[in-house]
Amino acid sequence: MKVRRVVVTGIGALTPIGNTAPAYWENLVKGVSGAAPITRFDASKFKTRFACEVKGFDPLDFIEKREVRRMDAFSHYAIASAEEAIKDAGLVPEKLDVDRVGVIWGSGIGGLLSFQEEVRNYVEGGCEPRFSPFFIPKMISDIAAGHISIRYGFRGPNYCTVSACASSTNALIDAFNYIRYGKADVIVAGGSEAAITEAGVGGFNALKALSERNDSPETASRPFDKDRDGFVLGEGAGAIILEDYEHAVKRGAKIYCEMVGGGLSADAYHITAPHPEGLGAAAVMKNALEDAQIPLDAIDYINVHGTSTPLGDIAEIKAIQKVFGEHAYKINISSTKSMTGHLLGAAGAIEAIACILSIVHQTVPPTINHFTDDEEIDPKLNLTFNKAQKREINYALSNTFGFGGHNCSVIFKKFEE
């Protein structure tokens, strides 16, 4: 079987620091924090009262009013980012073989707000079973992929990947494999999440996973800092158009970069905590390098999972040093979650976009909010603290890890004809 080249021809992003891919990139490079007090609900009684919300977004700019009410916010976000990516790629459904155009979308939680509201209405209504006929279609995680497919008439592979915070990176890897093995020509891949709700914040607070730095939200997400105290919950979506290289050339598409590898592994350790020695994280990066058929010293930039949790950041650094050895000191490492917060199932998609644009602009976005060195982290590592850095980037790797021990890594390469 001929293995086909897979290229990126379009991107779309809806994030806490920018509602389009260009705005997102501009604020990444500037080191802008998206964290602020929660406006979605009254959070005054919660341990954490801030998050990285999407700002200034109106679903009516993308979806008819009647349809908006029939969708959860995570589907609104999915449609907005997918529309940007499809337009960016210059995809015109009427000019495509839509049977070979798919949608593979990730979401770790799906319609949490819709679930919460329906249960609340049931209880407050005296437990009378008067449920909305749209309750289930709004809530289920696969529905965002369905909406995108229906909207554009794409009849190729269509489903949802669910692996907690690794969900959208799983979607990218699946899309990559479908295309390179000839099962599709184009796939809209990515993920969306809208979990800034009472249930979402309360649930993560109960796990002691969230930062409680309520006096300084904008500095709360501080990956690799000695005083990090948990992640900041984010929301939004990212969409990437993956396409067969020859198909893209034939239609005259612009090409951002090439996707060359994807790795998968499991920690097989704990339902929420990472393996303390980063064994699963090391394995997944090795798998991605082997899949891409490149040496470890080819990697120039790693966009780490880097959530700002005490255990997770250390485990990932150990894994990087285990895999890359001395070359680790020549790699730029950064966590863009320091700016966007943690978008859960959508994190992998927007962080893959950060890698794609880092290659395009030959610039590494920073890890902001670094104040105090952690003595457990090798100071010789370049964690790109507080300021973006220009450098040659031929290969960029993105890590995403999920509760349950799910690990994914993807590798992008500077495009060459």
Side-chain angles (χ1 to χ4, degrees), residues 134-175:
F134 295 103
F135 169 38
I136 299 301
K138 286 173 71 173
M139 179 193 71
I140 52 179
S141 296
D142 71 295
I143 203 68
H147 280 305
I148 296 167
S149 171
I150 293 165
R151 186 180 180 92
Y152 296 99
F154 296 153
R155 296 199 295 262
N158 183 266
Y159 61 91
C160 174
T161 51
V162 182
S163 50
C165 304
S167 297
S168 55
T169 308
N170 262 134
L172 290 173
I173 293 171
D174 282 10

Side-chain angles (χ1 to χ4, degrees), residues 336-408:
T336 48
K337 288 185 179 73
S338 60
M339 295 171 275
T340 65
H342 192 353
L343 272 66
L344 307 178
I350 67 162
E351 288 157 19
I353 291 170
C355 284
I356 291 162
L357 293 176
S358 75
I359 292 172
V360 170
H361 297 286
Q362 297 288 281
T363 301
V364 177
T367 304
I368 68 166
N369 296 330
H370 180 71
F371 305 101
T372 307
D373 290 343
D374 186 334
E375 58 273 8
E376 292 190 61
I377 296 175
D378 191 335
K380 292 187 292 182
L381 292 169
N382 185 355
L383 296 167
T384 322
F385 285 136
N386 296 325
K387 188 176 180 181
Q389 294 179 16
K390 296 286 289 186
R391 69 160 290 167
E392 182 179 4
I393 305 173
N394 292 307
Y395 288 91
L397 181 150
S398 180
N399 285 334
T400 42
F401 312 142
F403 281 178
H406 313 295
N407 305 310
C408 295

